[in-house]
Amino acid sequence: MASIVIQDACVLINLLASGRFEDVASRCDLRFAIASVVAQEAMYLHNADSGESEMIDLNPLIGKGILETLTAESEDEKLRYIELALNLDDGEAESVAIAEARNFALATDDKKARNLIKREGLKIELWSTCALLRHWQSKCSISDSDTNSVLTNIFSRARYRPKSGHPDYDWWMNISPK
């Protein structure tokens, strides 16, 4: 069975902006999930041509089983979610609470969430947008040229590029130097 990776809103938006979400989800031996709070957030991508915001509809991905929605269910998960929400946005808080309780991996680019996980010594496997894309590129033998177009899409539609100092900054810049 594939490992479950809960994505927060930022990673989800980046992967949707890539134009290859379904390919990444189906070929990485990972199951993608989001917390219910993330599913309820209004999320937008920028239109590549006009730059205007377009609302994201997750229902087709959820309907096809490509993306699962998870909710903090147990009393412990709910209490942990509330505790984490004191320091994190709701989406990250519910995502961390579920990942911690169920031993799932978490994909987040949120520095505050990543720092909290490290500071508290939580046993959560962390992924980032870049780590998921590098895994996909390597596992599926995706060319640098194809990966470049994915990274270009993410930058133009989600306005994301790792900052200097990010562990995958050099990888990103070598493939998509813009």
Side-chain angles (χ1 to χ4, degrees), residues 15-74:
L15 292 181
L16 290 168
S18 75
R20 302 287 291 272
F21 184 89
E22 289 188 41
D23 189 43
V24 174
S26 65
R27 297 180 65 197
C28 277
D29 253 358
L30 301 169
R31 286 176 42 208
F32 286 165
I34 53 173
S36 61
V37 173
V38 172
Q40 295 166 10
E41 292 178 7
M43 292 181 275
Y44 298 88
L45 291 174
H46 298 278
N47 180 291
D49 298 321
S50 70
E52 292 183 26
S53 295
E54 299 174 339
M55 186 136 181
I56 296 170
D57 181 6
L58 298 175
N59 290 323
L61 295 171
I62 293 168
K64 290 180 186 177
I66 295 167
L67 184 64
E68 298 175 56
T69 304
L70 304 173
T71 304
E73 295 172 352
S74 72

Side-chain angles (χ1 to χ4, degrees), residues 99-157:
E100 181 182 25
R102 301 181 199 181
N103 296 313
F104 293 162
L106 174 68
T108 182
D109 293 320
D110 186 273
K111 191 173 185 176
K112 195 172 184 181
R114 294 177 80 83
N115 287 340
L116 181 141
I117 290 164
K118 289 176 186 169
R119 185 174 59 251
E120 291 192 11
L122 304 183
K123 304 286 187 230
I124 297 174
E125 179 185 359
L126 287 174
W127 291 80
S128 64
T129 297
C130 293
L132 286 169
L133 292 172
R134 286 185 78 168
H135 177 71
W136 168 71
Q137 182 188 30
S138 172
K139 183 170 182 47
C140 301
S141 301
I142 306 298
S143 71
D144 282 356
S145 174
D146 284 348
T147 304
N148 177 334
S149 98
V150 164
L151 301 183
T152 300
N153 285 344
I154 292 170
F155 181 71
S156 66
R157 300 200 67 216

